[in-house]
Amino acid sequence: MDKLVIRGGNALTGQIKISGAKNAALPLMCASLLTDQPVTLHNLPRLADITTLADLLNHLGVEVTIAAGNGNGAGRTMLLRAENIADTTAPYDMVRKMRASILVLGPLVAREGVATVSLPGGCAIGNRPIDLHLKGLQQLGAEIDLADGYVRAKAAGGLKGGKIHFPMVSVGATENLMMAASLARGTSILENAAKEPEISDLARLLNAMGAKITGAGSERITIEGVASLRAANHPVMPDRIEAGSYAVAAAITGGTLDLLGARSDMMGATLDALREAGGFIAETAQGLTVGADKAGLRGINIKTQPYPGFPTDMQAQFMVMLAKADGASVISETIFENRFMHVPELARMGADITVAGPVATIRGVKVLRGAPVMATDLRASMSLVLAGLAADGETVISRIYHLDRGYERLEEKLKAAGADIERVPA
Ligand code: EPZ
């Protein structure tokens, strides 16, 4: 398994092109199951999770072809065509690799009237149940059975419109049910729906395919079911978490980065927190220019919340920045029950962080010291990269396959911005 070797201390400068968003691309790819016509996605990032899902869709009968990017760093174009569904079962050995595979459940049962999907199981950051997905499908008329580690959804006469109130906000459940309801008979209402920009991106594709969805991006989404969906072309939105991660890289190294393609209208809470901590952000015609004020960084308090609140996917990255800020900070993680796996690794680099349940207290230190550390999950591994960039000395990060799931060409982008970083085969 490869490792990353980082020698810290360089201030990052220059441009970084933000790739298409992983968390938009995954549901967009699943939407191809809803029609026998071709769906073309542009600006697709080159990520392990995208490949994993493409393999699963291929297993189900979707013909997936990828055209290479046009060379200037633009994302790839992917054509997906589910002319016929060859298999309505998503097997454990494929689903276990990536939780988002559960997003084939709604489209499959809507298209074929039956779907058998392996329960995704948990992951490092929590047990990640899917009860909201299943209850929602039942409210659209599906029969749900759980057996042998699989969920089987059946709707022999097709799904019917229904009213679904989510007791808690769930991005994946909102996406699964928005896709399923698109082909249901009648109108569906999703209340307390997730409002993430990725939900709106998915609704844009579905409506381009002929769906009738209004209210995406708000807590109440209305879907008027249609008999069938057609071909569509869709550009994947830029990755707001990748952009936020590189914004922290600029601030924590005392550099200045132009984040090409970053969208401030999707990053409100992240940018507000960055400004409050002493970062500076300027909007440009190409995206955002980000760095740290001369006065340096100072401690702030953060509470992760569903969009438009501070994103849980930015929590680990901000913790690193606050570990070197002047003063104390408190981070409350309200979305996942175990998303502080990066704390022991940061402590090995000299960070002063104490955790009590869902709350971490960080006391800023002047210096982080490079050390051998281990990645545990996607965003935690990015926080270790950021710590290595800001630390004195050398940091060696193992298990970086976590990084490859969500950050396209990471070391290439950072090296071009002046980082002393290289990937070495273990
Ligand atoms: C999506 O995961 C993202 N993944 C996650 O990003 C992100 O952290 C999360 O939304 C929250 O923003 C993708 O989009 C592929 P949820 P998802 O359903 O849909 C609980 C990353 O790093 N819940 O909004 O799985 C759940 O356990 C990843 O890119 C239930 O209890 O998240 C969690 O505590 C990590 N029952 C909370 O809700 C359910 O049926 C939010 O989960 C579903 C969820």
Side-chain angles (χ1 to χ4, degrees):
M1 285 187 275
D2 294 355
K3 295 189 178 197
L4 276 182
V5 178
I6 302 171
R7 277 169 284 278
N10 297 2
L12 299 188
T13 57
Q15 297 184 336
I16 289 187
K17 168 117 182 37
I18 300 305
S19 301
K22 165 179 87 80
N23 290 351
L26 296 172
L28 293 170
M29 288 167 68
C30 294
S32 66
L33 289 163
L34 291 164
T35 176
D36 59 5
Q37 298 302 304
V39 172
T40 305
L41 300 178
H42 303 284
N43 191 34
L44 215 77
R46 183 187 303 277
L47 295 172
D49 274 7
I50 302 287
T51 306
T52 302
L53 183 58
D55 291 347
L56 172 58
L57 291 173
N58 192 265
H59 166 83
L60 299 173
V62 182
E63 183 194 333
V64 181
T65 45
I66 296 181
N70 53 14
N72 67 359
R76 300 177 296 170
T77 293
M78 179 184 275
L79 187 144
L80 304 105
R81 180 158 199 178
E83 196 161 359
N84 300 296
I85 299 294
D87 192 332
T88 58
T89 296
Y92 172 68
D93 66 328
M94 300 185 104
V95 172
R96 70 182 172 77
K97 290 181 195 150
M98 186 189 60
R99 276 190 43 74
S101 307
I102 195 64
L103 293 175
V104 304
L105 180 64
L108 265 183
V109 70
R111 168 87 185 270
E112 292 293 292
V114 65
T116 305
V117 177
S118 166
L119 289 169
C123 69
I125 61 177
N127 72 0
R128 314 282 296 271
I130 58 166
D131 55 311
L132 302 179
H133 299 241
L134 303 183
K135 278 193 201 104
L137 284 172
Q138 284 173 320
Q139 284 161 291
L140 298 185
E143 286 166 46
I144 301 287
D145 294 304
L146 297 176
D148 314 321
Y150 280 75
V151 57
R152 170 185 284 268
K154 277 176 74 177
L159 294 172
K160 57 183 182 17
K163 185 168 185 177
I164 296 165
H165 176 84
F166 293 112
M168 65 187 292
V169 172
S170 162
V171 173
T174 301
E175 291 165 341
N176 233 336
L177 291 155
M178 199 162 72
M179 289 190 279
S182 298
L183 289 180
R185 275 190 324 284
T187 299
S188 300
I189 309 272
L190 306 186
E191 285 184 337
N192 197 26
K195 300 187 267 191
E196 272 71 354
E198 292 76 16
I199 306 279
S200 304
D201 208 35
L202 177 59
R204 268 190 294 278
L205 169 62
L206 291 170
N207 284 337
M209 293 165 68
K212 294 193 170 81
I213 299 170
T214 52
S218 78
E219 70 276 356
R220 181 185 168 91
I221 302 176
T222 303
I223 305 113
E224 196 184 321
V226 294
S228 64
L229 293 170
R230 58 176 182 261
N233 254 296
H234 181 81
V236 178
M237 61 175 258
D239 194 318
R240 60 192 172 97
I241 304 300
E242 183 196 24
S245 303
Y246 287 125
V248 169
I252 200 170
T253 60
T256 304
L257 285 174
D258 293 331
L259 303 178
L260 307 183
R263 292 268 303 271
S264 62
D265 60 321
M266 298 178 172
M267 300 171 68
T270 299
L271 300 180
D272 289 350
L274 191 56
R275 281 190 195 91
E276 190 190 347
F280 76 75
I281 298 130
E283 291 208 35
T284 66
Q286 301 159 301
L288 294 173
T289 297
V290 188
D293 289 340
K294 292 294 161 257
L297 298 168
R298 51 186 175 271
I300 61 170
N301 296 334
I302 287 175
K303 183 176 179 184
T304 65
Q305 291 175 300
Y307 194 89
F310 186 88
T312 174
D313 291 351
M314 282 301 306
Q315 179 256 109
Q317 299 91 311
F318 264 68
M319 187 181 282
V320 177
M321 189 175 80
L322 297 172
K324 268 199 83 181
D326 182 18
S329 305
V330 175
I331 295 184
S332 306
E333 171 55 65
T334 71
I335 306 292
F336 289 107
E337 65 268 27
N338 186 29
R339 206 168 194 178
F340 287 144
M341 310 270 279
H342 40 289
V343 170
E345 298 304 301
L346 295 177
R348 300 184 59 245
M349 298 176 73
D352 178 353
I353 305 169
T354 50
V355 170
V359 177
T361 302
I362 302 109
R363 288 176 185 76
V365 294
K366 286 272 174 284
V367 172
L368 291 175
R369 292 182 309 279
V373 290
M374 188 175 75
T376 51
D377 60 88
L378 170 57
R379 305 304 172 183
S381 47
M382 185 57 174
S383 77
L384 298 178
V385 171
L386 295 168
L389 293 171
D392 288 0
E394 180 176 277
T395 300
V396 181
I397 305 173
S398 56
R399 299 193 181 182
I400 56 169
Y401 54 84
H402 290 292
L403 267 173
D404 295 337
R405 296 188 50 182
Y407 288 93
E408 182 180 33
R409 298 183 295 116
L410 174 101
E411 62 273 16
E412 201 181 308
K413 293 187 180 184
L414 285 172
K415 203 176 280 186
D420 182 345
I421 180 171
E422 56 186 322
R423 179 185 284 252
V424 296

